[in-house]
Amino acid sequence: MAGRKMKRTAPKGGKPPIGKTLRKNWMLLLMLLPALLYVIVFSYIPMTGIVLAFKKYQYAGGIYGSPWAGLDNFKALLVAGKLGMVTRNTLLYNIAFIFLGVVFEMGSAILLNELLSKRFKKTAQSLMFLPYFISWVVAGAIMYNIFNYEKGVFNHVLTLIGIQPFDLYNSPGAWPAVLIFLKIWKQTGYGSVVYLAAITGLDQEMFEAASIDGANAWQRIRYITIPSLRPTMMILVLLAIGNIFRGDFGLFYQTVKSSAVLQPVTDVIDTYVFRLLITNSDIGVSAAAGLYQSVLCFVTINVCNWLVKRANPDYALY
């Protein structure tokens, strides 16, 4: 009608106006606000510090007042000659962590699910979960007191039975196995919780039908449980791949310390950046190494997600 203000409504089958959505869901959006602010303050605002990778940092000028250095910081990283080594170590360790993590976490969840005694199941799950709460500082101290060459318990026992003591902290070849064991020991209990929750959510009628048809426990695991866990596994693997060029700083620093003998096999990008900052106080080069690490992670996760999306879109993150 002429002269009367027409009320705007969403077309049939279309999206409602943004204002109506905000008024309807304002309570949910208010609950989301703290998480949104956290991400903005601690994730997005610090990203402006990326410019340090292209500057010669001076305390007087600060982040934005320091003079530009172009690619000099990246050249310094390449000249140091350790960037390739720490990148290789970070990648290989994380590949081992992801692969073995999936095997042990999924396997532990399946075994726990098959246990008939609820009391034993709860006890076993609690004991598996306990290492997750032990900090790497404590774990490193315990390990040092066990394997110390002069006063360690392990070498003391070897001496008592007439075997030559083993100097772990001067044996680089043993450390890849040690670090992988420590990582799996600490993360298996926590990671198995996700798979155990996924197993609990499966339709139990499938297992009952399989049992009626004569399937044993192994056949139910092989043909029902493992295929049903595949979507969960793919999501967790993709999330882990997003950090494949980021090392667990606590693991690689607190257990190895700053031993120069072990650095060729234990040094990762995170510990290398930390040492650059502490020993050389070169903030620009440290920022360049951090940017290099972030770009590698960004490219890797996007490529892997694209490959997964082409193979099966249901398993992709986005």
Side-chain angles (χ1 to χ4, degrees):
M1 295 176 64
R4 181 175 294 181
K5 210 171 184 179
M6 300 295 294
K7 188 177 180 181
R8 294 182 63 185
T9 57
K12 191 174 182 180
K15 293 183 179 180
I18 184 68
K20 184 177 180 181
T21 303
L22 292 175
R23 287 193 300 272
K24 182 179 179 182
N25 301 306
W26 70 270
M27 186 64 73
L28 296 176
L29 294 172
L30 186 63
M31 294 171 64
L32 182 64
L33 185 61
L36 183 63
L37 291 175
Y38 178 86
V39 172
I40 292 173
V41 172
F42 292 101
S43 296
Y44 285 98
I45 293 179
M47 286 178 67
T48 58
I50 288 174
V51 296
L52 281 174
F54 306 96
K55 288 193 170 189
K56 184 174 179 60
Y57 183 76
Q58 296 176 352
Y59 289 98
I63 296 177
Y64 305 106
S66 298
W68 292 96
L71 299 177
D72 289 347
N73 292 325
F74 294 94
K75 291 178 183 177
L77 280 176
L78 295 175
V79 170
K82 290 187 176 182
L83 191 61
M85 178 193 72
V86 296
T87 303
R88 178 203 64 201
N89 289 346
T90 308
L91 178 62
L92 293 179
Y93 275 119
N94 279 318
I95 289 174
F97 294 160
I98 292 171
F99 176 75
L100 293 176
V102 169
V103 173
F104 281 91
E105 291 166 14
M106 185 186 294
S108 300
I110 292 172
L111 291 176
L112 286 172
N113 184 66
E114 293 296 322
L115 292 176
L116 298 178
S117 173
K118 291 184 178 180
R119 180 178 297 180
F120 183 76
K121 181 189 294 187
K122 290 181 179 179
T123 303
Q125 189 173 0
S126 299
L127 292 175
M128 288 173 57
F129 206 91
L130 182 62
Y132 179 77
F133 295 102
I134 300 176
S135 70
W136 283 122
V137 178
V138 176
I142 293 172
M143 186 176 170
Y144 183 78
N145 283 279
I146 293 175
F147 293 102
N148 180 268
Y149 183 73
E150 297 177 353
K151 301 179 181 179
V153 176
F154 179 72
N155 284 322
H156 181 67
V157 173
L158 291 181
T159 304
L160 289 177
I161 60 178
I163 300 177
Q164 185 70 21
F166 177 66
D167 192 359
L168 178 64
Y169 288 90
N170 281 303
S171 303
W175 276 90
V178 171
L179 292 172
I180 291 172
F181 170 79
L182 288 173
K183 181 68 174 180
I184 298 303
W185 165 76
K186 200 169 189 298
Q187 78 173 22
T188 296
Y190 179 80
S192 64
V193 172
V194 180
Y195 289 105
L196 193 59
I199 293 173
T200 306
L202 297 178
D203 187 359
Q204 298 303 312
E205 292 183 358
M206 297 188 298
F207 296 95
E208 295 173 2
S211 299
I212 293 173
D213 291 339
N216 55 34
W218 165 244
Q219 290 172 330
R220 293 196 299 270
I221 292 171
R222 180 180 178 183
Y223 295 108
I224 299 177
T225 307
I226 294 179
S228 299
L229 290 178
R230 194 173 297 157
T232 303
M233 180 194 70
M234 290 301 302
I235 291 174
L236 292 177
V237 168
L238 282 174
L239 291 173
I241 287 175
N243 290 315
I244 200 167
F245 285 101
R246 295 190 185 280
D248 189 333
F249 180 80
L251 169 64
F252 289 99
Y253 184 75
Q254 296 298 338
T255 57
V256 180
K257 306 299 182 184
S258 299
S259 175
V261 177
L262 303 178
Q263 283 181 10
V265 294
T266 61
D267 210 12
V268 293
I269 298 176
D270 299 77
T271 53
Y272 179 56
V273 173
F274 178 76
R275 276 201 320 278
L276 283 175
L277 187 59
I278 295 300
T279 58
N280 301 335
S281 299
D282 197 334
I283 296 177
V285 175
S286 301
L291 178 59
Y292 164 78
Q293 182 184 40
S294 298
V295 170
L296 285 179
C297 291
F298 177 78
V299 172
T300 304
I301 184 59
N302 278 281
V303 170
C304 291
N305 187 75
W306 177 76
L307 293 174
V308 170
K309 196 171 185 179
R310 285 180 62 88
N312 192 335
D314 294 335
Y315 294 162
L317 289 176
Y318 50 87

